[in-house]
Amino acid sequence: TTSSSSNDAGTTYGTSVRYYISSTNNSIYSGFASTPSVFASLDSDYHDVQVSNVNAVSTTSFTTVVASSRTGGIQSKTIRWVAIGEAS
């Protein structure tokens, strides 16, 4: 679940990504021989929400960045994800 507060980037990157939340998900999976591919989506009823990035992927954690033009689209929302890779 995303945080109940978000960051304001202003209009530097455009109005569609004004508000964002970066979340690191530690020790939530295991058993990969190498870094897996991770894909994520956000459960939201706002049409302009996006998972902007999945980065800092390791064999046990990853970071997601979600963004929207409105805070209600990204705050306290469920992130669904899948990690695909070779088993150790």
Side-chain angles (χ1 to χ4, degrees), residues 40-85:
S41 66
L42 187 72
D43 285 351
S44 180
D45 52 357
Y46 285 67
H47 72 279
D48 58 351
V49 169
Q50 57 187 312
V51 175
S52 299
N53 204 353
V54 176
N55 58 36
V57 179
S58 74
T59 56
T60 59
S61 67
F62 63 93
T63 299
T64 55
V65 179
V66 296
S68 178
S69 63
R70 299 172 285 174
T71 59
I74 58 175
Q75 292 177 346
S76 301
K77 303 294 181 184
T78 300
I79 296 175
R80 301 203 186 272
W81 57 270
V82 62
I84 302 170

Side-chain angles (χ1 to χ4, degrees), residues 11-33:
T11 57
T12 303
Y13 303 108
T15 57
S16 65
V17 293
R18 178 166 186 165
Y19 299 100
Y20 69 95
I21 297 172
S22 179
S23 272
T24 299
N25 305 282
N26 289 313
S27 300
I28 56 174
Y29 55 76
S30 63
F32 288 103

